[in-house]
Short mmCIF file of all heavy atoms in Angstrom, two decimals:
data_model
loop_
_atom_site.label_atom_id
_atom_site.label_comp_id
_atom_site.label_asym_id
_atom_site.label_seq_id
_atom_site.Cartn_x
_atom_site.Cartn_y
_atom_site.Cartn_z
N THR A 43 220.94 120.10 -28.29
CA THR A 43 220.55 121.34 -27.62
C THR A 43 221.28 121.48 -26.29
O THR A 43 221.73 122.57 -25.92
CB THR A 43 219.02 121.40 -27.41
OG1 THR A 43 218.37 120.99 -28.62
CG2 THR A 43 218.57 122.80 -27.05
N THR A 44 221.43 120.37 -25.58
CA THR A 44 222.15 120.41 -24.30
C THR A 44 223.62 120.79 -24.53
O THR A 44 224.19 121.58 -23.78
CB THR A 44 222.06 119.04 -23.59
OG1 THR A 44 220.68 118.74 -23.38
CG2 THR A 44 222.78 119.04 -22.26
N LEU A 45 224.23 120.23 -25.57
CA LEU A 45 225.61 120.61 -25.91
C LEU A 45 225.68 122.10 -26.23
O LEU A 45 226.60 122.80 -25.77
CB LEU A 45 226.12 119.79 -27.10
CG LEU A 45 227.55 120.15 -27.54
CD1 LEU A 45 228.57 119.69 -26.51
CD2 LEU A 45 227.87 119.58 -28.92
N LEU A 46 224.72 122.59 -26.98
CA LEU A 46 224.69 124.02 -27.32
C LEU A 46 224.59 124.88 -26.07
O LEU A 46 225.32 125.87 -25.93
CB LEU A 46 223.50 124.32 -28.24
CG LEU A 46 223.74 124.19 -29.73
CD1 LEU A 46 222.51 124.66 -30.50
CD2 LEU A 46 224.95 125.02 -30.15
N GLU A 47 223.67 124.51 -25.17
CA GLU A 47 223.51 125.30 -23.94
C GLU A 47 224.84 125.40 -23.18
O GLU A 47 225.25 126.47 -22.74
CB GLU A 47 222.45 124.65 -23.02
CG GLU A 47 221.03 124.77 -23.55
CD GLU A 47 220.03 123.95 -22.74
OE1 GLU A 47 220.40 122.84 -22.27
OE2 GLU A 47 218.89 124.39 -22.58
N ASN A 48 225.52 124.26 -23.07
CA ASN A 48 226.79 124.24 -22.34
C ASN A 48 227.88 125.01 -23.07
O ASN A 48 228.68 125.71 -22.46
CB ASN A 48 227.23 122.79 -22.10
CG ASN A 48 226.46 122.15 -20.97
OD1 ASN A 48 226.86 122.23 -19.81
ND2 ASN A 48 225.34 121.53 -21.27
N THR A 49 227.90 124.86 -24.39
CA THR A 49 228.93 125.52 -25.19
C THR A 49 228.75 127.04 -25.16
O THR A 49 229.72 127.80 -25.00
CB THR A 49 228.86 125.01 -26.64
OG1 THR A 49 229.00 123.59 -26.63
CG2 THR A 49 229.94 125.62 -27.50
N ILE A 50 227.51 127.48 -25.29
CA ILE A 50 227.23 128.92 -25.29
C ILE A 50 227.63 129.53 -23.95
O ILE A 50 228.28 130.57 -23.89
CB ILE A 50 225.73 129.16 -25.59
CG1 ILE A 50 225.43 128.78 -27.04
CG2 ILE A 50 225.35 130.62 -25.32
CD1 ILE A 50 223.96 128.61 -27.35
N THR A 51 227.29 128.83 -22.87
CA THR A 51 227.63 129.33 -21.54
C THR A 51 229.14 129.53 -21.38
O THR A 51 229.61 130.50 -20.80
CB THR A 51 227.10 128.36 -20.46
OG1 THR A 51 225.70 128.22 -20.64
CG2 THR A 51 227.38 128.86 -19.06
N LEU A 52 229.90 128.59 -21.96
CA LEU A 52 231.36 128.66 -21.82
C LEU A 52 232.00 129.69 -22.76
O LEU A 52 233.10 130.17 -22.49
CB LEU A 52 231.98 127.28 -22.09
CG LEU A 52 231.77 126.26 -20.96
CD1 LEU A 52 232.14 124.85 -21.42
CD2 LEU A 52 232.60 126.64 -19.73
N LEU A 53 231.34 130.01 -23.86
CA LEU A 53 231.99 130.85 -24.87
C LEU A 53 231.39 132.25 -25.02
O LEU A 53 231.99 133.11 -25.67
CB LEU A 53 231.95 130.15 -26.24
CG LEU A 53 232.81 128.91 -26.41
CD1 LEU A 53 232.67 128.38 -27.84
CD2 LEU A 53 234.28 129.20 -26.12
N GLN A 54 230.23 132.49 -24.41
CA GLN A 54 229.54 133.74 -24.76
C GLN A 54 230.23 134.98 -24.20
O GLN A 54 229.93 136.09 -24.66
CB GLN A 54 228.05 133.69 -24.40
CG GLN A 54 227.71 133.71 -22.95
CD GLN A 54 226.20 133.57 -22.74
OE1 GLN A 54 225.77 133.03 -21.75
NE2 GLN A 54 225.38 134.03 -23.66
N ALA A 55 231.14 134.81 -23.25
CA ALA A 55 231.90 135.98 -22.78
C ALA A 55 232.90 136.44 -23.83
O ALA A 55 233.28 137.61 -23.88
CB ALA A 55 232.62 135.64 -21.47
N ASP A 56 233.33 135.50 -24.67
CA ASP A 56 234.40 135.81 -25.63
C ASP A 56 233.93 135.99 -27.06
O ASP A 56 234.62 136.62 -27.86
CB ASP A 56 235.45 134.68 -25.60
CG ASP A 56 236.06 134.52 -24.22
OD1 ASP A 56 236.23 135.56 -23.53
OD2 ASP A 56 236.36 133.38 -23.82
N PHE A 57 232.79 135.39 -27.41
CA PHE A 57 232.32 135.48 -28.80
C PHE A 57 230.84 135.87 -28.82
O PHE A 57 230.08 135.54 -27.90
CB PHE A 57 232.48 134.13 -29.51
CG PHE A 57 233.91 133.65 -29.56
CD1 PHE A 57 234.32 132.56 -28.81
CD2 PHE A 57 234.84 134.29 -30.37
CE1 PHE A 57 235.63 132.12 -28.86
CE2 PHE A 57 236.16 133.86 -30.42
CZ PHE A 57 236.55 132.77 -29.66
N ARG A 58 230.46 136.49 -29.94
CA ARG A 58 229.04 136.79 -30.17
C ARG A 58 228.45 135.59 -30.90
O ARG A 58 228.86 135.25 -32.02
CB ARG A 58 228.91 138.07 -30.99
CG ARG A 58 229.52 139.30 -30.27
CD ARG A 58 229.62 140.48 -31.21
NE ARG A 58 230.44 140.17 -32.37
CZ ARG A 58 230.59 140.97 -33.43
NH1 ARG A 58 229.97 142.13 -33.46
NH2 ARG A 58 231.36 140.61 -34.45
N ILE A 59 227.51 134.93 -30.25
CA ILE A 59 227.00 133.65 -30.74
C ILE A 59 225.55 133.80 -31.19
O ILE A 59 224.76 134.51 -30.57
CB ILE A 59 227.10 132.56 -29.64
CG1 ILE A 59 228.56 132.44 -29.16
CG2 ILE A 59 226.58 131.22 -30.15
CD1 ILE A 59 228.76 131.50 -27.98
N GLY A 60 225.21 133.15 -32.28
CA GLY A 60 223.83 133.06 -32.74
C GLY A 60 223.46 131.62 -33.01
O GLY A 60 224.33 130.77 -33.19
N VAL A 61 222.16 131.31 -32.99
CA VAL A 61 221.70 129.93 -33.19
C VAL A 61 220.51 129.91 -34.14
O VAL A 61 219.60 130.75 -34.02
CB VAL A 61 221.32 129.27 -31.85
CG1 VAL A 61 220.68 127.90 -32.08
CG2 VAL A 61 222.53 129.13 -30.94
N ILE A 62 220.53 128.97 -35.07
CA ILE A 62 219.34 128.64 -35.86
C ILE A 62 218.90 127.25 -35.42
O ILE A 62 219.69 126.31 -35.43
CB ILE A 62 219.64 128.66 -37.37
CG1 ILE A 62 219.99 130.08 -37.82
CG2 ILE A 62 218.45 128.13 -38.17
CD1 ILE A 62 220.44 130.19 -39.28
N GLU A 63 217.65 127.15 -35.00
CA GLU A 63 217.12 125.87 -34.49
C GLU A 63 216.22 125.23 -35.55
O GLU A 63 215.24 125.86 -35.97
CB GLU A 63 216.30 126.10 -33.22
CG GLU A 63 217.11 126.26 -31.96
CD GLU A 63 217.79 124.96 -31.57
OE1 GLU A 63 217.38 123.88 -32.03
OE2 GLU A 63 218.75 125.05 -30.80
N GLY A 64 216.50 124.01 -35.95
CA GLY A 64 215.66 123.29 -36.89
C GLY A 64 214.83 122.24 -36.19
O GLY A 64 215.37 121.42 -35.44
N ASP A 65 213.53 122.27 -36.40
CA ASP A 65 212.64 121.26 -35.82
C ASP A 65 211.47 121.04 -36.77
O ASP A 65 211.13 121.92 -37.55
CB ASP A 65 212.10 121.71 -34.46
CG ASP A 65 213.08 121.46 -33.33
OD1 ASP A 65 213.41 120.27 -33.12
OD2 ASP A 65 213.52 122.42 -32.70
N LEU A 66 210.83 119.89 -36.66
CA LEU A 66 209.63 119.62 -37.45
C LEU A 66 208.55 120.63 -37.09
O LEU A 66 207.87 121.18 -37.93
CB LEU A 66 209.10 118.22 -37.17
CG LEU A 66 210.04 117.03 -37.34
CD1 LEU A 66 209.24 115.73 -37.25
CD2 LEU A 66 210.78 117.09 -38.65
N GLN A 67 208.37 120.80 -35.80
CA GLN A 67 207.41 121.77 -35.27
C GLN A 67 207.83 122.03 -33.83
O GLN A 67 208.85 121.51 -33.39
CB GLN A 67 205.99 121.23 -35.35
CG GLN A 67 205.79 119.85 -34.78
CD GLN A 67 204.37 119.37 -35.05
OE1 GLN A 67 203.98 119.08 -36.16
NE2 GLN A 67 203.57 119.31 -34.00
N THR A 68 207.12 122.85 -33.13
CA THR A 68 207.43 123.30 -31.75
C THR A 68 208.62 124.25 -31.73
O THR A 68 209.43 124.28 -32.66
CB THR A 68 207.74 122.16 -30.72
OG1 THR A 68 209.09 121.70 -30.89
CG2 THR A 68 206.74 121.04 -30.83
N THR A 69 208.70 125.02 -30.64
CA THR A 69 209.83 125.93 -30.45
C THR A 69 210.55 125.60 -29.15
O THR A 69 211.20 126.45 -28.55
CB THR A 69 209.33 127.39 -30.39
OG1 THR A 69 208.28 127.48 -29.40
CG2 THR A 69 208.76 127.85 -31.73
N ILE A 70 210.44 124.33 -28.74
CA ILE A 70 211.01 123.90 -27.46
C ILE A 70 212.51 124.21 -27.38
O ILE A 70 212.99 124.78 -26.40
CB ILE A 70 210.77 122.39 -27.26
CG1 ILE A 70 209.28 122.09 -27.11
CG2 ILE A 70 211.55 121.87 -26.06
CD1 ILE A 70 208.94 120.60 -27.06
N ASP A 71 213.25 123.83 -28.43
CA ASP A 71 214.70 124.01 -28.39
C ASP A 71 215.07 125.49 -28.44
O ASP A 71 215.97 125.94 -27.71
CB ASP A 71 215.36 123.26 -29.54
CG ASP A 71 215.27 121.74 -29.35
OD1 ASP A 71 214.90 121.30 -28.24
OD2 ASP A 71 215.57 121.00 -30.31
N ALA A 72 214.38 126.24 -29.29
CA ALA A 72 214.67 127.68 -29.39
C ALA A 72 214.42 128.38 -28.06
O ALA A 72 215.17 129.28 -27.66
CB ALA A 72 213.83 128.31 -30.50
N GLU A 73 213.38 127.95 -27.35
CA GLU A 73 213.08 128.58 -26.05
C GLU A 73 214.20 128.30 -25.04
O GLU A 73 214.54 129.15 -24.23
CB GLU A 73 211.74 128.07 -25.52
CG GLU A 73 210.54 128.69 -26.26
CD GLU A 73 209.25 127.90 -26.07
OE1 GLU A 73 209.06 127.29 -25.00
OE2 GLU A 73 208.43 127.89 -27.01
N ARG A 74 214.75 127.07 -25.12
CA ARG A 74 215.88 126.75 -24.22
C ARG A 74 217.07 127.66 -24.51
O ARG A 74 217.72 128.17 -23.59
CB ARG A 74 216.28 125.27 -24.39
CG ARG A 74 215.27 124.30 -23.79
CD ARG A 74 215.58 122.85 -24.16
NE ARG A 74 216.89 122.41 -23.69
CZ ARG A 74 217.40 121.20 -23.95
NH1 ARG A 74 216.70 120.32 -24.68
NH2 ARG A 74 218.58 120.86 -23.50
N ILE A 75 217.35 127.86 -25.79
CA ILE A 75 218.52 128.67 -26.18
C ILE A 75 218.28 130.15 -25.84
O ILE A 75 219.19 130.86 -25.39
CB ILE A 75 218.80 128.50 -27.68
CG1 ILE A 75 219.17 127.04 -28.00
CG2 ILE A 75 219.91 129.46 -28.13
CD1 ILE A 75 220.41 126.52 -27.29
#
Side-chain angles (χ1 to χ4, degrees):
Chain A
T43 315
T44 301
L45 179 70
L46 270 186
E47 290 171 324
N48 283 271
T49 303
I50 292 164
T51 303
L52 287 168
L53 291 182
Q54 70 184 150
D56 300 325
F57 300 110
R58 299 169 301 173
I59 303 174
V61 173
I62 295 174
E63 280 291 341
D65 278 299
L66 305 190
Q67 50 186 70
T68 79
T69 52
I70 294 174
D71 291 349
E73 285 162 32
R74 288 171 60 183
I75 297 300

